Amino acid sequence: MKIESELIGKNVIDSSGDQVSVVKDVEWDFNSKRVESIELKEAGISSKIGLGEKK
């Protein structure tokens, strides 16, 4: 799906403008045409220095 390919790899930014994650995967309900879940991977400074949590 085109929207999925456009979302994967996008940065997730918090309200302060800091990068907190990157979209790793998206699950869809094709019947309702809605996103069921978004899986994120660590990003930003905390993951680079080993302080981030796995979500």
Side-chain angles (χ1 to χ4, degrees), residues 5-38:
S5 66
E6 290 179 4
L7 286 175
I8 294 175
K10 293 289 185 183
N11 294 331
V12 178
I13 309 297
D14 68 11
S15 61
S16 300
D18 296 321
Q19 180 185 1
V20 295
S21 192
V22 175
V23 177
K24 184 177 179 180
D25 195 16
V26 180
E27 291 187 18
W28 293 91
D29 179 339
F30 290 101
N31 293 324
S32 66
K33 299 180 183 175
R34 293 180 184 252
V35 174
E36 288 290 314
S37 67
I38 297 176

Side-chain angles (χ1 to χ4, degrees), residues 38-53:
I38 297 176
E39 183 179 351
L40 305 177
K41 61 182 173 181
E42 284 188 272
I45 190 69
S46 63
S47 69
K48 289 180 176 74
I49 61 174
L51 298 176
E53 292 181 34

